[in-house]
Amino acid sequence: MRVEHVYRYPVKGLTAEALEEVTLTPGECLPHDRRFALAQGDAPFDPAAPAWLQKRHFGCLMANAKLALLHSAYDPRSGQLLIRPPEGPPLLGDTRSEAGQREIAAFLAGFLGEEARGTPRFVEAPGHNFTDVAAKCISIIGLSSLHALEQASGMRLDPLRFRANVYVSGGHPWAEFDLIGQEIQLGGARLRVFKRIVRCPATEVNPETAERDAKPPKVLREAFGHADLGVYAEVIEGGRLAVGDALEPLQGDMLH
């Protein structure tokens, strides 16, 4: 299988950022992946004592489809976050200052309108990632599986609906499920695949239009008997990962 795309999502629920290459670190997510989030006013998140919380506590596409209309870009060197709304002026906010974080939170809360609960906070916590599962991991989707879902759906589905870190080509549909419990070589890194990704209503949202114009979880259940697409893997040995690299199982030859 071949790596076709690598993405990070610096702010939970906001734009994917394509990477040509990245260095993976044992026990960590992609650098800057889900580093920030908009915590709803009633979310019990404490940056001083960060603990994993379900996505409903944060701005997310599952509950806030309109976030797909925002285009964001994060610069790790400067800490600047650019958010461009469909109408009106963009915001350039400083994620490293309290004033900048308040400015970003107010901008996002204003955009969400009635979907914002209380006074949302733009949050980060050193060493914490706002992932959908409690483990720090990399999400991988086989494009063959996505194409099988597209055929069952009768429509094209933008891969970015599924917000994975790594998209790979080759192999048969659902081949990645065969890797559960196995170690894989992904570029120069070694990972252990540990869980299938159960799909939620966030995947109904078209990342271009913010319309809920498809029902991937429903089609998956009806056509394939499960609601899963992709797998989670934890990094065991770090290394460089780049577009064009191979994904290979380290036990047996299961993908050919």
Coordinates of all heavy atoms in Angstrom, one line a residue, residues 171-223:
G171 N -4.2 -2.5 -2.2 CA -4.9 -3.4 -1.3 C -6.3 -3.5 -1.7 O -6.9 -2.7 -2.4
H172 N -7.0 -4.5 -1.1 CA -8.4 -4.7 -1.4 C -9.3 -3.9 -0.3 O -8.7 -3.5 0.7 CB -8.8 -6.1 -1.3 CG -8.5 -6.8 0.0 ND1 -9.3 -6.7 1.1 CD2 -7.4 -7.6 0.4 CE1 -8.8 -7.4 2.1 NE2 -7.6 -7.9 1.7
P173 N -10.6 -3.6 -0.6 CA -11.4 -2.9 0.4 C -11.4 -3.6 1.7 O -11.4 -4.8 1.8 CB -12.8 -3.0 -0.3 CG -12.5 -3.1 -1.7 CD -11.3 -3.9 -1.9
W174 N -11.2 -2.8 2.7 CA -11.2 -3.2 4.1 C -10.0 -4.0 4.5 O -9.9 -4.6 5.6 CB -12.5 -4.0 4.5 CG -13.7 -3.5 3.8 CD1 -14.5 -4.1 2.9 CD2 -14.3 -2.2 4.1 NE1 -15.5 -3.3 2.5 CE2 -15.4 -2.1 3.2 CE3 -14.1 -1.2 4.9 CZ2 -16.3 -1.0 3.1 CZ3 -14.9 0.0 4.8 CH2 -16.0 0.0 4.0
A175 N -8.9 -4.0 3.7 CA -7.7 -4.7 4.0 C -7.1 -4.2 5.3 O -6.4 -4.9 6.0 CB -6.7 -4.5 2.9
E176 N -7.3 -2.9 5.6 CA -6.7 -2.3 6.8 C -7.3 -3.0 8.1 O -6.6 -3.0 9.1 CB -6.8 -0.8 6.9 CG -8.2 -0.3 6.8 CD -8.7 0.0 5.4 OE1 -8.3 -0.7 4.5 OE2 -9.5 1.0 5.3
F177 N -8.5 -3.5 8.0 CA -9.1 -4.2 9.2 C -8.3 -5.5 9.5 O -8.2 -5.9 10.7 CB -10.5 -4.6 8.9 CG -11.4 -3.4 8.8 CD1 -12.7 -3.5 8.3 CD2 -11.0 -2.1 9.2 CE1 -13.6 -2.5 8.2 CE2 -11.9 -1.0 9.0 CZ -13.2 -1.2 8.6
D178 N -7.6 -6.1 8.5 CA -6.8 -7.3 8.8 C -5.6 -7.0 9.6 O -4.9 -7.9 10.1 CB -6.4 -7.9 7.4 CG -7.6 -8.4 6.6 OD1 -8.6 -8.6 7.2 OD2 -7.4 -8.4 5.3
L179 N -5.3 -5.7 9.7 CA -4.0 -5.3 10.4 C -4.2 -5.1 11.9 O -3.3 -4.8 12.7 CB -3.5 -4.0 9.8 CG -3.0 -4.1 8.4 CD1 -2.7 -2.7 7.8 CD2 -1.9 -5.0 8.2
I180 N -5.5 -5.2 12.4 CA -5.8 -5.0 13.8 C -4.9 -5.9 14.7 O -4.8 -7.1 14.4 CB -7.2 -5.2 14.2 CG1 -8.1 -4.3 13.4 CG2 -7.5 -5.0 15.7 CD1 -8.0 -2.8 13.7
G181 N -4.2 -5.3 15.6 CA -3.3 -6.1 16.5 C -1.9 -6.3 15.9 O -1.1 -7.0 16.6
Q182 N -1.7 -5.9 14.7 CA -0.4 -6.1 14.1 C 0.4 -4.8 14.1 O -0.1 -3.7 14.3 CB -0.6 -6.5 12.6 CG -1.1 -7.9 12.4 CD -0.7 -8.3 11.0 OE1 0.5 -8.3 10.6 NE2 -1.7 -8.7 10.2
E183 N 1.7 -5.0 13.9 CA 2.6 -3.9 13.7 C 2.8 -3.7 12.2 O 2.8 -4.6 11.4 CB 4.0 -4.2 14.3 CG 3.9 -4.2 15.8 CD 5.2 -4.4 16.5 OE1 6.3 -4.4 15.8 OE2 5.2 -4.5 17.7
I184 N 3.0 -2.4 11.8 CA 3.2 -2.1 10.4 C 4.4 -1.1 10.3 O 4.7 -0.4 11.2 CB 1.9 -1.4 9.8 CG1 1.6 -0.1 10.6 CG2 0.7 -2.3 9.7 CD1 0.5 0.8 9.9
Q185 N 5.0 -1.2 9.1 CA 6.0 -0.2 8.7 C 5.3 0.9 7.9 O 4.7 0.6 6.9 CB 7.1 -0.8 7.9 CG 8.3 0.1 7.7 CD 9.2 0.2 9.0 OE1 9.2 -0.7 9.8 NE2 9.9 1.3 9.1
L186 N 5.4 2.1 8.4 CA 4.7 3.2 7.7 C 5.9 4.3 7.4 O 6.3 5.0 8.3 CB 3.6 3.9 8.5 CG 2.8 5.0 7.8 CD1 2.0 4.4 6.6 CD2 1.8 5.6 8.8
G187 N 6.4 4.3 6.2 CA 7.5 5.1 5.9 C 8.7 4.6 6.8 O 9.0 3.4 6.8
G188 N 9.3 5.5 7.5 CA 10.4 5.1 8.4 C 10.0 4.9 9.8 O 10.9 4.7 10.7
A189 N 8.7 4.8 10.1 CA 8.2 4.6 11.4 C 7.5 3.2 11.5 O 7.1 2.6 10.6 CB 7.2 5.7 11.8
R190 N 7.5 2.8 12.8 CA 6.8 1.5 13.1 C 5.6 1.8 14.0 O 5.7 2.5 15.0 CB 7.7 0.5 13.7 CG 7.2 -0.9 14.0 CD 8.3 -1.9 14.2 NE 9.1 -1.6 15.4 CZ 8.8 -2.0 16.6 NH1 7.8 -2.8 16.8 NH2 9.6 -1.7 17.6
L191 N 4.4 1.3 13.6 CA 3.2 1.5 14.3 C 2.5 0.2 14.7 O 2.8 -0.8 14.0 CB 2.2 2.4 13.5 CG 2.7 3.9 13.3 CD1 3.7 4.0 12.2 CD2 1.4 4.7 12.9
R192 N 1.6 0.3 15.7 CA 0.8 -0.9 16.0 C -0.7 -0.5 15.8 O -1.2 0.5 16.3 CB 1.0 -1.3 17.4 CG 0.2 -2.6 17.8 CD 0.3 -3.0 19.2 NE -0.3 -2.0 20.1 CZ -1.6 -2.0 20.5 NH1 -2.4 -2.9 20.0 NH2 -2.1 -1.1 21.3
V193 N -1.4 -1.2 14.9 CA -2.8 -0.9 14.6 C -3.6 -1.5 15.7 O -3.5 -2.7 16.0 CB -3.2 -1.5 13.2 CG1 -4.6 -1.2 12.9 CG2 -2.3 -0.9 12.1
F194 N -4.5 -0.7 16.3 CA -5.2 -1.3 17.5 C -6.7 -1.1 17.4 O -7.4 -1.8 18.3 CB -4.7 -0.6 18.8 CG -5.0 0.9 18.9 CD1 -6.1 1.3 19.5 CD2 -4.1 1.8 18.4 CE1 -6.4 2.7 19.7 CE2 -4.3 3.2 18.6 CZ -5.5 3.6 19.2
K195 N -7.3 -0.4 16.5 CA -8.8 -0.2 16.6 C -9.3 0.2 15.2 O -8.7 1.0 14.5 CB -9.1 0.8 17.7 CG -10.5 1.0 18.0 CD -10.6 2.1 19.2 CE -12.0 2.1 19.8 NZ -13.1 2.5 18.8
R196 N -10.5 -0.3 14.9 CA -11.2 0.3 13.8 C -11.9 1.6 14.1 O -12.1 1.8 15.3 CB -12.3 -0.7 13.3 CG -11.7 -1.9 12.6 CD -12.6 -3.2 12.6 NE -13.9 -3.1 12.0 CZ -14.5 -4.0 11.4 NH1 -13.9 -5.2 11.3 NH2 -15.7 -3.9 10.9
I197 N -12.1 2.5 13.2 CA -12.6 3.8 13.4 C -14.1 3.7 13.1 O -14.5 3.5 12.0 CB -12.0 4.9 12.6 CG1 -10.5 4.9 12.8 CG2 -12.6 6.2 12.9 CD1 -9.7 5.9 11.9
V198 N -14.9 3.9 14.2 CA -16.4 3.9 14.0 C -16.8 5.3 13.5 O -16.4 6.3 14.1 CB -17.1 3.6 15.3 CG1 -18.6 3.6 15.2 CG2 -16.6 2.3 15.9
R199 N -17.6 5.4 12.5 CA -17.9 6.6 11.9 C -19.2 7.3 12.5 O -20.1 6.6 12.8 CB -18.1 6.5 10.4 CG -16.8 6.2 9.7 CD -15.8 7.3 10.0 NE -14.4 7.0 9.6 CZ -13.4 7.8 9.9 NH1 -13.7 9.0 10.4 NH2 -12.2 7.5 9.6
C200 N -19.1 8.6 12.6 CA -20.2 9.3 13.3 C -20.8 10.3 12.3 O -20.3 10.4 11.2 CB -19.6 10.1 14.5 SG -18.7 11.6 14.1
P201 N -21.8 11.1 12.7 CA -22.5 12.0 11.8 C -21.6 13.1 11.2 O -22.0 13.8 10.3 CB -23.7 12.5 12.6 CG -24.0 11.5 13.6 CD -22.6 10.9 14.0
A202 N -20.4 13.3 11.8 CA -19.5 14.3 11.2 C -19.3 14.0 9.7 O -19.1 14.9 8.9 CB -18.2 14.3 12.0
T203 N -19.3 12.7 9.4 CA -18.9 12.4 8.0 C -20.1 12.7 7.0 O -19.9 12.6 5.8 CB -18.6 10.9 7.9 OG1 -19.7 10.1 8.3 CG2 -17.4 10.5 8.8
E204 N -21.2 13.0 7.5 CA -22.4 13.4 6.7 C -22.1 14.8 6.1 O -22.7 15.2 5.1 CB -23.7 13.5 7.5 CG -24.1 12.1 8.1 CD -25.3 12.2 9.0 OE1 -25.7 13.4 9.2 OE2 -25.7 11.2 9.4
V205 N -21.2 15.6 6.7 CA -21.0 17.0 6.3 C -20.0 17.1 5.1 O -18.9 16.6 5.2 CB -20.4 17.8 7.5 CG1 -20.2 19.3 7.1 CG2 -21.4 17.7 8.7
N206 N -20.5 17.8 4.0 CA -19.6 18.0 2.9 C -18.6 19.1 3.3 O -19.0 20.2 3.7 CB -20.5 18.5 1.7 CG -19.7 18.7 0.5 OD1 -18.6 19.3 0.5 ND2 -20.3 18.3 -0.6
P207 N -17.3 18.8 3.2 CA -16.3 19.8 3.7 C -16.2 21.0 2.8 O -15.6 22.0 3.2 CB -15.0 19.0 3.6 CG -15.3 17.9 2.7 CD -16.7 17.5 2.8
E208 N -16.8 21.0 1.6 CA -16.8 22.2 0.8 C -18.0 23.1 1.0 O -17.9 24.3 1.0 CB -16.8 21.8 -0.7 CG -15.5 21.1 -1.1 CD -14.3 22.1 -1.1 OE1 -14.5 23.3 -1.4 OE2 -13.2 21.7 -0.6
T209 N -19.2 22.5 1.3 CA -20.5 23.2 1.3 C -21.0 23.3 2.7 O -21.9 24.1 3.0 CB -21.5 22.6 0.4 OG1 -21.9 21.3 1.0 CG2 -21.0 22.4 -1.0
A210 N -20.6 22.5 3.6 CA -21.1 22.4 5.0 C -22.5 21.8 5.1 O -23.1 21.8 6.1 CB -21.0 23.7 5.8
E211 N -23.0 21.3 3.9 CA -24.3 20.6 3.9 C -24.2 19.2 4.3 O -23.2 18.5 4.0 CB -24.9 20.7 2.5 CG -25.1 22.1 2.0 CD -26.2 22.8 2.7 OE1 -27.2 22.1 3.1 OE2 -26.1 24.0 2.9
R212 N -25.2 18.7 5.0 CA -25.3 17.3 5.3 C -25.9 16.6 4.1 O -27.1 16.4 4.0 CB -26.1 17.0 6.6 CG -25.4 17.5 7.8 CD -26.1 17.1 9.1 NE -25.5 17.7 10.3 CZ -24.4 17.2 11.0 NH1 -23.9 16.1 10.6 NH2 -23.9 17.8 12.0
D213 N -25.1 16.1 3.2 CA -25.6 15.7 1.9 C -25.3 14.2 1.6 O -25.4 13.7 0.5 CB -25.0 16.5 0.7 CG -23.5 16.5 0.7 OD1 -22.9 15.8 1.5 OD2 -23.0 17.2 -0.2
A214 N -24.9 13.5 2.7 CA -24.6 12.0 2.5 C -24.7 11.4 3.9 O -24.7 12.1 4.9 CB -23.2 11.8 2.0
K215 N -24.9 10.1 3.9 CA -25.0 9.4 5.2 C -24.1 8.2 5.3 O -24.5 7.0 5.3 CB -26.5 8.9 5.4 CG -27.5 10.0 5.5 CD -28.9 9.5 5.9 CE -29.9 10.7 6.0 NZ -29.5 11.6 7.1
P216 N -22.8 8.4 5.3 CA -21.8 7.3 5.3 C -22.1 6.3 6.4 O -22.0 5.0 6.2 CB -20.5 8.0 5.5 CG -20.7 9.3 4.9 CD -22.1 9.7 5.2
P217 N -22.4 6.6 7.7 CA -22.6 5.6 8.7 C -23.7 4.7 8.4 O -23.7 3.4 8.5 CB -22.8 6.4 10.0 CG -22.2 7.7 9.8 CD -22.4 8.0 8.3
K218 N -24.8 5.3 7.8 CA -26.0 4.5 7.5 C -25.7 3.5 6.3 O -26.0 2.3 6.4 CB -27.1 5.4 7.1 CG -28.5 4.7 6.7 CD -29.6 5.8 6.5 CE -30.9 5.1 6.2 NZ -31.0 4.7 4.8
V219 N -25.0 4.0 5.3 CA -24.6 3.2 4.1 C -23.7 2.1 4.6 O -23.8 0.9 4.1 CB -24.0 4.1 3.0 CG1 -23.6 3.2 1.9 CG2 -25.1 5.1 2.5
L220 N -22.7 2.4 5.4 CA -21.8 1.4 5.9 C -22.5 0.3 6.6 O -22.3 -0.9 6.3 CB -20.8 2.0 6.8 CG -19.6 2.8 6.2 CD1 -18.9 3.6 7.3 CD2 -18.6 1.9 5.5
R221 N -23.5 0.6 7.4 CA -24.2 -0.4 8.2 C -25.0 -1.3 7.2 O -25.1 -2.5 7.3 CB -25.1 0.2 9.3 CG -24.3 0.7 10.5 CD -25.2 1.0 11.6 NE -26.1 2.1 11.3 CZ -25.8 3.4 11.5 NH1 -24.7 3.7 12.1 NH2 -26.7 4.4 11.2
E222 N -25.7 -0.6 6.3 CA -26.6 -1.3 5.4 C -25.9 -2.2 4.4 O -26.3 -3.3 4.0 CB -27.6 -0.3 4.7 CG -28.6 0.3 5.6 CD -29.4 1.4 4.9 OE1 -29.1 1.7 3.8 OE2 -30.4 1.9 5.6
A223 N -24.8 -1.7 3.8 CA -24.1 -2.4 2.8 C -23.0 -3.3 3.2 O -22.7 -4.3 2.6 CB -23.5 -1.3 1.8

